């Protein structure tokens, strides 16, 4: 009966590696969907991963690395000998090659660059100069551009002669440049095929095409693609020389990766992506670096309760409302944090616009705080029938909500102004302050009217 149970893909990969069947191994890899292939490779040992890439060769190995997550690729590349890693990296498209080397330790990246052909190494070093969330950082340098003095027949002849080489370029457009490399036009394939061969390319090109400077931010790129509906867009340097193309898919992928990084930081996962295939000690250390700070902050917040332990002992019902007030205020503050981080990323707000953000968030905090306070106060009154208890919890929640949205809106701006990561640090600051203030407001108000609460 056990022979009838289908084996997992990684078990099949492992067996084919052990029995040295490269043809069957390649066939199995080609059959697996990208997601299933990534999962299967992650279940192999480091030795088997290295052996698999050795058997498949650089070109096929590069195809496999493109379906894996960045964290998986980095793990695998770091386990390979430098010469083998360089041969695989050289087969990657220019943008992916630069992105990968940017994530590796500097000494290892430099060692791989030294093994690349000089032209590819220079191209990669150029891409590494640009910020990752800009047009230059996500562009690819594989594109077609012809001098404006050529004829249509010259261009078509070149395309036919080097068609095999150009097949890897994912061509949507062909560009026209002048003798200095400045972008002057774009050609549509339809016009090339249907026009007279002796006509100059400039007679059929679309003049002065839309282009993206190398320092164009991701969000501006998205707006440009949404507005014009292009599949790709030329990228130019400060002298308007064409240096690459950026694709719509690359922009969308970069935006997803940025959102993922922000989510991981807010969740307290510091550093690169974490996978469960990573060493346990490494994963534990990375998580503890965040959690150990948080435990100290929570002790500070909880110390407020210790100062009012007599009040809490006299009115034990307050213990029920403390976590509610803390949690509700924290939720309101996190909403403000998310909006501020989003607006900072989009360039809609600057770190110095604290008063504007305070006014906007304060108005929302007053309305939401009043509504939430009335609701919680009503619950307290229905439960205990004490109007003073109701007023204590309602007022505390209202004031803490106002405070939390102000902090949530302003802290990311302040951190950004100090060149700190707002996504990483805003959460702990907000949690500590809202907890501490929430506990203080409830217990101090309760202490002020304690005889009315226990009477």
């Amino acid at each position: 009966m056990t022979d009838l149970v289908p084996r997992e893909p990684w078990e099949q990969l492992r067996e084919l590696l052990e029995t040295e069947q490269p043809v069957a191994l390649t066939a199995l890899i080609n059959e697996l969907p990208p997601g299933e292939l990534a999962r299967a490779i992650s279940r192999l040992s480091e030795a088997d991963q290295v052996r698999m890439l050795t058997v498949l060769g650089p070109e096929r190995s590069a195809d496999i690395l493109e379906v894996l997550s960045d964290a998986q690729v980095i793990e695998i590349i770091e386990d390979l000998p430098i010469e083998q890693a360089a041969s695989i990296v050289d087969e990657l498209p220019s943008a992916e090659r630069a992105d990968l080397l940017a994530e590796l330790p500097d000494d290892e990246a430099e060692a791989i660059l030294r093994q690349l052909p000089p032209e590819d190494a220079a191209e990669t070093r150029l891409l590494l100069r640009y910020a990752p969330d800009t047009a230059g950082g996500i562009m690819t340098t594989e594109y077609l551009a012809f001098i404006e003095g050529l004829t249509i027949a010259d261009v078509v002849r070149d395309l036919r002669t080097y068609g095999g080489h150009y097949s890897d370029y994912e061509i949507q457009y062909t560009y026209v440049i002048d003798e200095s490399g400045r972008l002057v036009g774009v050609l549509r394939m339809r016009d090339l095929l249907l026009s007279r061969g002796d006509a100059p390319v400039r007679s059929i090109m679309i003049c002065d095409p839309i282009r993206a400077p190398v320092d164009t931010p991701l969000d501006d790129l998205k707006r440009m693609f949404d507005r014009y509906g292009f599949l790709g867009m030329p990228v130019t340097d400060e002298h308007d020389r064409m240096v690459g193309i950026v694709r719509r898919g690359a922009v969308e992928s970069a935006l997803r990766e940025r959102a993922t990084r922000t989510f991981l930081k807010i969740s307290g996962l510091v550093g690169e992506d974490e996978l469960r295939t990573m060493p346990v000690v490494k994963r534990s250390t990375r998580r503890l670096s965040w959690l150990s700070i948080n435990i100290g902050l929570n002790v500070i917040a909880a110390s407020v309760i210790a100062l009012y332990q007599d009040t809490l002992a006299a009115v034990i019902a307050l213990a029920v409302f403390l976590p509610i007030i803390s949690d509700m205020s924290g939720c309101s503050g996190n909403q403000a944090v998310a909006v501020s981080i989003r607006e900072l990323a989009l360039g809609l707000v600057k770190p110095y616009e604290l008063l504007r953000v305070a006014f906007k968030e304060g108005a929302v905090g007053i309305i939401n705080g009043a509504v939430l306070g009335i609701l919680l106060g009503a619950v307290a009154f229905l439960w205990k029938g004490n109007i003073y208890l109701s007023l204590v919890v309602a007022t505390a929640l209202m004031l803490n909500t106002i405070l939390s949205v102000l902090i949530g809106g302003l802290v990311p701006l302040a951190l950004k102004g100090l060149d700190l990561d707002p996504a990483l640090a805003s959460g702990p600051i907000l949690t500590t302050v809202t907890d501490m203030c929430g506990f203080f407001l409830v217990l101090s108000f309760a202490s002020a009217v304690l005889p009315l609460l226990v009477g």
Side-chain angles (χ1 to χ4, degrees), residues 120-302:
D120 291 344
E123 182 181 84
T124 305
R125 291 183 193 278
L126 173 66
L127 292 175
L128 288 170
R129 287 170 39 199
Y130 302 118
D133 288 345
T134 63
I138 63 172
M139 72 180 182
T140 180
T141 56
E142 289 87 9
Y143 63 91
L144 292 182
F146 296 95
I147 300 296
E148 60 181 334
L150 297 177
T151 65
I152 293 170
D154 294 330
V155 173
V156 172
R157 188 181 307 113
D158 182 89
L159 291 174
R160 289 173 177 168
T161 302
Y162 300 102
H165 176 67
Y166 296 154
S167 63
D168 294 332
Y169 280 27
E170 298 182 20
I171 302 169
Q172 287 95 22
Y173 309 98
T174 301
Y175 299 95
V176 182
I177 57 176
D178 64 14
E179 295 289 345
S180 300
R182 289 190 293 268
L183 178 67
V184 295
V186 61
L187 297 172
R188 295 178 296 195
M189 287 297 177
R190 177 179 179 275
D191 295 336
L192 275 176
L193 296 174
L194 299 180
S195 300
R196 289 173 41 203
D198 59 349
V201 293
R202 61 174 164 277
S203 68
I204 64 167
M205 73 182 184
I206 300 171
C207 298
D208 195 25
I210 303 295
R211 78 280 315 269
V214 289
D215 57 354
T216 306
L218 272 181
D219 296 293
D220 289 349
L221 287 172
K222 183 180 186 304
R223 283 191 287 269
M224 293 171 73
F225 277 112
D226 289 344
R227 179 178 179 183
Y228 297 108
F230 297 148
L231 296 176
M233 193 181 304
V235 180
T236 54
D237 64 13
E238 62 273 18
H239 303 293
D240 203 32
R241 292 189 296 255
M242 188 168 177
V243 292
I245 59 171
V246 60
R247 299 190 180 92
R248 175 188 291 272
V251 173
E252 293 172 348
S253 176
L255 287 169
R256 287 194 299 270
E257 290 176 7
R258 188 181 68 181
T260 299
R261 290 195 302 269
T262 300
F263 171 75
L264 291 174
K265 288 176 181 177
I266 292 174
S267 301
L269 292 176
V270 187
E272 74 275 10
D273 291 350
E274 178 179 322
L275 298 175
R276 291 190 174 90
T277 54
M278 292 177 175
V280 173
V281 174
K282 179 180 180 180
R283 293 173 58 216
S284 176
T285 301
R286 291 178 60 210
R287 293 192 187 187
L288 283 173
S289 65
W290 172 272
L291 295 174
S292 56
I293 295 174
N294 270 267
I295 196 171
L297 296 175
N298 277 284
V299 168
I300 295 173

Side-chain angles (χ1 to χ4, degrees), residues 300-323 325-326 388-389 391-397 399-400 434-451 453:
I300 295 173
S303 63
V304 176
I305 298 176
L307 296 175
Y308 290 94
Q309 55 184 323
D310 293 338
T311 299
L312 191 59
V315 189
I316 198 64
L318 293 173
V320 175
F321 293 101
L322 287 177
I325 292 172
S326 173
Y388 300 102
L389 175 64
L391 288 173
V392 165
V393 298
T395 306
L397 178 54
L399 294 177
N400 208 38
T434 54
D435 284 357
M436 188 165 55
C437 292
F439 297 157
F440 172 77
L441 289 170
V442 174
L443 295 172
S444 61
F445 289 167
S447 297
V449 295
L450 186 58
L453 297 179

